[in-house]
Amino acid sequence: MTASIPSVTHLKQLEAESIQIFREVAAEFENPVMLYSVGKDSSVLRHLARKAFAPGKIPFPLLHVDTTWKFGEMIKFRDEQAKKHGFDLLVHINEEGVKAGVGPFSHGSAKHTDIMKTQTLNSR
């Protein structure tokens, strides 16, 4: 049994739809922001946003909710990409959670995510 591979034209159509959505958001919303985890999925979204506004810069900031548990190389990559491509990068760390020592191993992943990500986003 072989898996069906999407055609290039189908991928181009999906890319064009994504680019159109980015442009609509920038045109229609007052203060948009794009979450950026530095992972593969948000890196693809960042790339599509760059394509949507080329040769200009992305007209809205990217927000990284930093749990302080990323590898240092990922943070370095994040900062290098922001500098290289000129996008505005907002970084937020839940300092209260850090001071309380909240971590995925000490508190469990669900509680860690709730405190370090969800509550952080709800407070902004």
Side-chain angles (χ1 to χ4, degrees):
M1 182 171 156
T2 60
S4 163
I5 299 173
S7 68
V8 173
T9 55
H10 179 68
L11 291 176
K12 289 287 186 190
Q13 179 184 355
L14 291 173
E15 179 184 60
E17 289 174 14
S18 300
I19 287 170
Q20 182 59 32
I21 290 168
F22 277 114
R23 291 175 179 163
E24 285 178 24
V25 166
E28 298 293 328
F29 289 90
E30 214 173 287
N31 194 21
V33 64
M34 185 175 92
L35 290 174
Y36 179 50
S37 71
V38 196
K40 63 185 180 316
D41 295 336
S42 65
S43 291
V44 168
L45 289 174
R46 177 183 47 82
H47 178 74
L48 288 168
R50 285 185 49 233
K51 287 184 86 167
F53 302 105
K57 67 177 240 168
I58 300 171
F60 45 79
L62 277 62
L63 171 63
H64 179 218
V65 179
D66 189 349
T67 64
T68 71
W69 277 85
K70 296 273 188 207
F71 291 107
E73 293 84 359
M74 291 181 78
I75 300 303
K76 182 180 176 191
F77 175 78
R78 175 199 72 192
D79 295 344
E80 287 172 350
Q81 290 298 299
K83 185 176 180 179
K84 178 180 177 181
H85 299 294
F87 59 83
D88 295 327
L89 176 66
L90 305 173
V91 178
H92 183 74
I93 298 172
N94 182 339
E95 296 294 347
E96 290 178 15
V98 172
K99 287 177 189 170
V102 175
F105 298 111
S106 59
H107 291 74
S109 63
K111 188 167 188 171
H112 173 259
T113 298
D114 179 54
I115 293 169
M116 299 303 287
K117 293 183 182 180
T118 307
Q119 289 180 24
T120 295
L121 288 171
N122 286 336
S123 70
R124 291 190 64 85

